[in-house]
Amino acid sequence: MACSTPDNAAAAAPPATARMLGYASGNFGKNLLASTMDVFLMFTLTEYWGISPLAAGLIVMLGLVWDGLCNPLLGRILDRATDRAGLYRRLLVLAAPVVTIPFTIVFLLPTPQPSFIIPWAISLVLVFRTAYATCDVAHNALMMRMTGRQGAATMLSALRYMFSCLGALAVAGSAPAFVDPALAGGHRLIATTACAALAYVATLWLAAASGPAATEPPRIPARPQTPLRVWILRNRPFCALLVFGFAQALTLPVFARSFAYIGKGVIHDPDWTARALTTLALSQLVMLPVWVGASRRASQHGALAAALILVAVGSAVFATGPRGMMAGIALFGAGNAGVQMMIWALLADAIDHGERRTGVRLEAVPVALLLLTLKLGGGIGGALFGQGLALAGWTGTAPLGETGGGQLLAMAWAMPVAGAVIGIAVVVLQSHTGAGRSTVPATRSLPSSVSRSSVG
């Protein structure tokens, strides 16, 4: 009688609630730093460092693209480890403090000499992104070790996004320290940056401590039986998820990324940025239980389509003008919560689908490939946003004119609408092909008769 491998047993063990919460808390620290860099890095480069919007957008793109390219390499290394869970935890402990060093330098140290500004900015962004990618891949791959029972992937994804929303709320509350010229470089900015760095390290260490303790026994490496390209090409849900992830990362983040510029150049009120970010974060947090319930009553793809419709409606309401902006932001946030939660739940299901089709369980590589597409989309979106700012005539020294302000607002809502339409098309196509009709599978382990092989 065949027995399940220790790897199967570890994957099938249902995680305790406390461990799930401890693991998911890592998203609080990650989102503190990621949201701060995403929303305020470009603003800091253009407003305080004096870099042109086009160059700042290219720096943001370079960092995210580099981050994305690091992910597949890290994924291949991690998936070849004999003790994956242990390696994930060790990387979180060792790399988390490294991430905070360039982060604090960007926002706290004085601006360098003009001739060194761009090389210095690029160097800091690349170091940050390299270390952040290491932690990001390890933390996201660790999730695949903790989704061993029916519904666990959706619940854990919801908990992760709940902590992400709490991190976004903290970032929203700290917005004046980054966008208000009267507070630039003051004690509030120092305290905000230091607290974010400490919270990042603390929560990722807690996530590492909450990971599964079971390890896999040493094994003799086997000759690759299933090439990686075969695993990917046979996994239609995963391929569709990559397309969807790229489209949403290219378009949806532009919405929040524009808030700092709208507050200063269109609304002429730095506090508006904090109110907008708070509204966005609160609406996402409030809607999380709704999306969890919806994913249990309907297919995950159906819930995702509904979330995308809300994103499009919220963007359209935002476009109606100042009176509708906050309502539009709230609707956008309500839909975005469903989108971001479902991405990682669908990834867990796609990994199971690939395991059933090929007999090979990959974790870090699929996570890394999804992160690659997300970072590529976000990077290209950042460059396009910088180009849009330049075309709108943003200088940072004077408010935008009526035409430039209209162009900035149009860019803020039109790109998310386009992303939502593309996402709905992908979901509908998946539904018609039958690849996306299944919900969470009943089990996440292979039958004992199916062997695991390594992937080349």
Side-chain angles (χ1 to χ4, degrees):
M1 178 175 171
C3 297
S4 299
T5 66
D7 190 21
N8 279 342
T17 301
R19 294 182 68 149
M20 292 178 72
L21 287 171
Y23 163 79
S25 69
N27 273 59
F28 176 81
K30 289 201 304 181
N31 206 47
L32 278 179
L33 268 58
S35 291
T36 299
M37 293 290 280
D38 192 45
V39 176
F40 301 125
L41 172 61
M42 191 165 172
F43 188 84
T44 297
L45 295 179
T46 57
E47 303 307 297
Y48 302 131
W49 289 39
I51 298 176
S52 69
L54 181 58
L58 291 174
I59 291 172
V60 171
M61 182 186 74
L62 178 62
L64 287 170
V65 170
W66 173 255
D67 186 327
L69 293 175
C70 289
N71 292 323
L73 176 60
L74 290 165
R76 293 297 296 272
I77 294 173
L78 294 179
D79 264 341
R80 290 180 175 180
T82 57
D83 179 13
R84 297 181 191 177
L87 183 56
Y88 301 157
R89 297 196 304 271
R90 289 192 294 273
L91 285 176
L92 290 176
V93 171
L94 295 175
V98 179
V99 177
T100 63
I101 297 173
F103 174 80
T104 54
I105 291 174
V106 166
F107 295 107
L108 295 185
L109 286 192
T111 306
Q113 295 296 321
S115 58
F116 296 103
I117 284 181
I118 291 183
W120 181 238
I122 292 174
S123 299
L124 289 174
V125 169
L126 290 181
V127 172
F128 172 83
R129 286 296 171 186
T130 302
Y132 188 89
T134 302
C135 290
D136 206 19
V137 171
H139 183 257
N140 286 306
L142 191 60
M143 174 184 172
M144 307 309 154
R145 304 262 100 190
M146 303 181 67
T147 55
R149 60 184 171 84
Q150 186 173 4
T154 300
M155 178 57 66
L156 194 54
S157 184
L159 289 175
R160 280 162 48 102
Y161 200 65
M162 178 190 74
F163 279 104
S164 293
C165 292
L166 293 174
L169 275 174
V171 172
S174 66
F178 293 95
V179 302
D180 190 343
L183 299 176
H187 295 296
R188 183 172 177 180
L189 179 61
I190 295 174
T192 298
T193 305
C195 287
L198 291 173
Y200 178 82
V201 174
T203 54
L204 285 188
W205 283 1
L206 177 59
S210 302
T215 59
E216 303 166 24
R219 62 185 179 185
I220 300 175
R223 183 177 179 180
Q225 299 178 13
T226 303
L228 177 60
R229 65 180 181 277
V230 174
W231 191 95
I232 295 173
L233 293 176
R234 288 183 182 179
N235 196 333
R236 187 179 298 173
F238 181 68
C239 293
L241 184 61
L242 293 182
V243 174
F244 174 81
F246 178 83
Q248 71 86 26
L250 177 71
T251 56
L252 269 58
V254 171
F255 193 69
R257 193 175 284 159
S258 66
F259 288 173
Y261 293 94
I262 292 174
K264 179 178 180 180
V266 180
I267 307 298
H268 313 303
D269 179 9
D271 290 336
W272 182 90
T273 300
R275 294 196 299 273
L277 290 172
T278 301
T279 301
L280 181 66
L282 282 175
S283 62
Q284 293 177 136
L285 187 61
V286 169
M287 281 296 293
L288 267 181
V290 177
W291 292 121
V292 172
S295 67
R296 289 176 174 174
R297 293 178 177 84
S299 69
Q300 291 177 335
H301 285 75
L304 181 58
L308 289 167
I309 291 173
L310 264 181
V311 166
V313 170
S315 301
V317 172
F318 180 86
T320 61
R323 292 185 178 180
M325 279 185 171
M326 288 301 167
I329 291 171
L331 288 172
F332 178 95
N336 193 50
V339 173
Q340 303 305 321
M341 188 192 83
M342 292 301 175
I343 285 176
W344 294 101
L346 289 172
L347 175 62
D349 288 348
I351 288 174
D352 288 336
H353 180 85
E355 184 178 18
R356 291 194 297 270
R357 291 295 300 271
T358 66
V360 175
R361 182 171 183 84
L362 292 182
E363 295 170 349
V365 168
V367 166
L369 290 175
L370 177 59
L371 289 173
L372 171 61
T373 59
L374 294 177
K375 302 295 173 59
L376 287 176
I380 296 172
L384 293 175
F385 182 67
Q387 179 66 41
L389 283 175
L391 293 175
W394 183 272
T395 63
T397 59
L400 286 173
E402 183 176 349
T403 301
Q407 291 175 344
L408 174 58
L409 291 172
M411 182 170 52
W413 65 263
M415 288 189 70
V417 168
V421 171
I422 294 172
I424 292 171
V426 173
V427 171
V428 171
L429 181 62
Q430 278 292 92
S431 298
H432 284 320
T433 59
R437 292 175 184 171
S438 63
T439 56
V440 180
T443 180
R444 295 192 178 275
S445 59
L446 281 173
S448 57
S449 59
V450 180
S451 64
R452 292 176 183 265
S453 60
S454 59
V455 174

